């Protein structure tokens, strides 16, 4: 029922589950904050339609590497993993707003590249400070990415000073 009561800014269904990004991001964006979300590639067109000032960081992984990481995690059976791998679209989204990160190697490298992509975007936005139509000015930011022991990148936590 939360979906129909406006609890989510974005929502989608994948892997037999429902996912959503809380509607609170709209208030944060309206206040000038930078928001980082993890979402499905299947809703990128919706994101592009709704949010003009954005970048898309497309994190991909080689199918064999993903299989190995999922097996090591141990949450799914081999059969479930194979079904999941057949559903995954490994194509990297196209567009000038896309930064691609290959997560098939060391997790620390992918995490560093992710942080660099966010930092570069924030730096570009800060350089545009003199533009009268600019709504978002970030003076400093800290982004911490923690690789998880199962080989996947954990949730990012951010602290922004605006």
């Amino acid at each position: 029922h939360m979906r129909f009561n406006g609890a989510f800014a974005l929502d989608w269904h994948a892997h037999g589950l429902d996912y959503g990004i809380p509607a609170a991001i709209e208030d944060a964006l309206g206040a000038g904050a930078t928001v980082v979300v993890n979402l499905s590639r299947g809703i990128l067109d919706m994101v592009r339609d709704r949010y003009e000032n954005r970048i898309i960081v497309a994190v991909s992984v080689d199918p064999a590497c993903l299989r190995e990481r999922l097996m090591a995690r141990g949450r799914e059976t081999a059969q479930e993993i194979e079904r999941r791998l057949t559903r995954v679209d490994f194509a990297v989204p196209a567009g000038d707003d896309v930064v691609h990160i290959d997560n098939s190697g060391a997790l620390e490298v992918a995490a560093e590249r992710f942080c660099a992509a966010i930092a570069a975007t924030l730096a570009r936005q800060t350089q545009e400070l003199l533009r009268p139509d600019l709504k978002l000015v970030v003076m400093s930011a800290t982004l911490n990415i923690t690789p998880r022991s199962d080989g996947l990148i954990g949730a990012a936590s951010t602290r922004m000073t605006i």
Side-chain angles (χ1 to χ4, degrees), residues 61-79:
V61 65
D62 175 77
C65 181
L66 179 57
R67 178 182 292 110
E68 183 180 306
R69 290 176 180 175
L70 291 171
M71 296 281 284
R73 186 168 69 177
R75 290 189 203 162
E76 299 162 286
T77 67
Q79 185 178 24

Side-chain angles (χ1 to χ4, degrees), residues 1-11 21-24:
H1 301 329
M2 293 173 66
R3 179 180 185 197
F4 300 108
N5 291 331
F8 302 109
L10 300 164
D11 62 89
I21 303 299

Side-chain angles (χ1 to χ4, degrees), residues 1-14 17-23 25-26 37-44 46-47 50-51:
H1 301 329
M2 293 173 66
R3 179 180 185 197
F4 300 108
N5 291 331
F8 302 109
L10 300 164
D11 62 89
W12 65 98
H13 185 83
L17 300 170
D18 291 311
Y19 297 88
I21 303 299
I25 70 163
E26 301 294 350
V37 297
N38 179 15
L39 47 80
S40 170
R41 294 175 188 195
I43 66 166
L44 289 183
M46 183 187 321
V47 169
R50 288 188 189 176
Y51 305 102

Side-chain angles (χ1 to χ4, degrees), residues 115-142:
C115 291
I118 301 300
T121 300
L122 294 175
R124 250 190 331 275
Q125 291 170 342
T126 301
Q127 288 175 353
E128 295 175 350
L129 179 61
L130 299 177
R131 279 187 29 203
D133 62 332
L134 186 67
K135 294 180 184 176
L136 174 63
V137 179
V138 178
M139 302 309 292
S140 67
T142 303

Side-chain angles (χ1 to χ4, degrees), residues 26-109:
E26 301 294 350
D27 293 335
L29 289 169
T34 297
V35 176
V36 178
V37 297
N38 179 15
L39 47 80
S40 170
R41 294 175 188 195
I43 66 166
L44 289 183
D45 287 339
M46 183 187 321
V47 169
R48 286 175 166 139
D49 288 343
R50 288 188 189 176
Y51 305 102
E52 182 179 334
N53 189 14
R54 59 153 194 305
I55 64 163
I56 295 168
V57 181
V59 180
S60 66
V61 65
D62 175 77
C65 181
L66 179 57
R67 178 182 292 110
E68 183 180 306
R69 290 176 180 175
L70 291 171
M71 296 281 284
R73 186 168 69 177
R75 290 189 203 162
E76 299 162 286
T77 67
Q79 185 178 24
E80 290 170 330
I81 290 171
E82 291 308 315
R83 273 197 307 266
R84 180 175 177 172
L85 290 173
T86 60
R87 290 190 312 255
V88 173
D89 179 6
F90 288 96
V92 175
D96 293 339
D97 58 346
V98 177
V99 175
H100 175 239
I101 296 174
D102 183 356
N103 187 25
S104 300
L107 296 177
E108 295 78 14
V109 172

